[in-house]
Amino acid sequence: MSNTSRIATAPFGRTGHRSTRILFGAAALWTCDQATADRVLDLLLDYGINHIDTAPAYGDAEIRIGPWMDRHRKDFFLATKTRARDGQGAREDLHRSLDRLRTDHIDLWQFHALAHPDHWDTVFGEGGALETALEAKAEGLIRHIGVTGHGWTIAAMHRRSLAAFDFDSILMPWNWYAANHVTYADDFREVLDIARSRNVAVQTIKSIARGPWAAGSTKTRQTWYQPLEDETDIREAVHWVLSEPGIFLNSVGDTDLLPLVLKAAASHDAAQQATPPDAAMMNGLQDRTGLSSIFGL
């Protein structure tokens, strides 16, 4: 594959790493076998992807990535997560991840889906997961600390998290539907401004979410939401997210759609010079695909 197909990079916040604007979302490896996972690695290397985002909650993903790290650890900024809110549970998660990923350190360790106020209080309280993260950083087991989440309240919760601790990264949904949500759009913009002022990396998810699967329908993709599938629709959705300077897009959780997302990202810079996505284009996308909320109202 020629260098023209390689995806552009940008500083990942204050970490010192230049990550590709597309980060590989390893939820795509949830149930796949090692042969399929290895084909995904070849694709990532073709496009120059240098940042992997995984989690213990993503089925077998960490196990599938482990053999890659034996050969390619230096080629990737490696991020994983913990759903544990207490310190002991978080430490157990971390050591399990280190073992599965076959590495002696995690570049970015994140509190996974930290959206509920009670969970937030536990993480930040005495004996909570934040204490473990700070200890692990001092021990050299992790290098940076982040926080992630889903739903229409998560941007507001990230604002609270950033006020309480100087996180290195945040992760939250962003797509055309989200940008027009009655409350979420303003919350996203506010926390994005905070992150930029403090050089906090901003990761986004759900770029090609179309809506929820219809009740009673058969899911034809690995994603828990119904994704866009047409190549033109995916290209427009990906280009629109990447048109926001400096933010990163976590790729789709479906190995069959992943090539279309990477292809779209690789063409972004050239497309921006020609016809950058505007409101008319994105409204057209919404009209023909029926974009809707995957998080309820």
Side-chain angles (χ1 to χ4, degrees), residues 27-204:
L29 304 179
W30 202 304
T31 59
C32 75
D33 58 25
Q34 192 62 49
T36 301
D38 290 344
R39 287 195 294 272
V40 169
L41 173 63
D42 289 339
L43 186 65
L44 300 183
L45 294 175
D46 282 344
Y47 279 96
I49 300 296
N50 66 0
H51 187 133
I52 295 174
D53 181 80
T54 188
Y58 296 164
D60 291 336
E62 289 186 329
I63 295 170
R64 298 293 170 240
I65 293 167
W68 303 0
M69 296 301 101
D70 287 342
R71 294 168 285 151
H72 295 283
R73 181 66 183 90
K74 64 180 176 54
D75 299 323
F76 292 101
F77 186 94
L78 183 59
T80 192
K81 309 179 184 78
T82 177
R83 276 190 177 272
R85 308 314 186 194
D86 66 291
Q88 180 59 35
R91 181 166 286 277
E92 291 170 2
D93 272 358
L94 174 58
H95 283 279
R96 186 182 305 113
S97 291
L98 290 167
D99 288 342
R100 286 179 162 188
L101 292 167
R102 303 187 190 182
T103 185
D104 62 358
H105 73 278
I106 302 298
D107 294 303
L108 175 65
W109 198 45
Q110 302 158 102
F111 302 133
H112 196 169
L114 188 58
H116 195 285
D118 290 347
H119 296 173
W120 193 97
D121 289 343
T122 301
V123 167
F124 284 86
E126 184 177 354
L130 180 59
E131 287 187 2
T132 290
L134 293 172
E135 291 167 358
K137 186 174 181 180
E139 295 164 15
L141 299 178
I142 66 174
R143 293 182 174 171
H144 306 284
I145 304 171
V147 62
T148 80
H150 291 243
W152 298 132
T153 62
I154 196 60
M157 184 59 76
H158 283 346
R159 183 172 60 233
R160 180 183 180 190
S161 293
L162 288 170
F165 180 74
D166 194 21
F167 284 99
D168 297 302
S169 74
I170 57 176
L171 179 152
M172 53 188 171
W174 193 235
N175 55 33
W176 181 248
Y177 186 90
N180 291 278
H181 187 272
V182 61
T183 59
Y184 183 79
D186 288 343
D187 288 340
F188 179 94
R189 289 291 179 189
E190 183 177 349
V191 78
L192 178 62
D193 287 344
I194 294 169
R196 282 174 169 161
S197 71
R198 291 164 52 179
N199 202 15
V200 174
V202 177
Q203 308 167 79
T204 66

Side-chain angles (χ1 to χ4, degrees), residues 7-10 18-23 47-51 248:
I7 293 168
T9 63
R18 288 190 66 90
S19 295
T20 39
R21 296 287 308 282
I22 292 279
L23 316 177
Y47 279 96
I49 300 296
N50 66 0
H51 187 133
F248 297 86

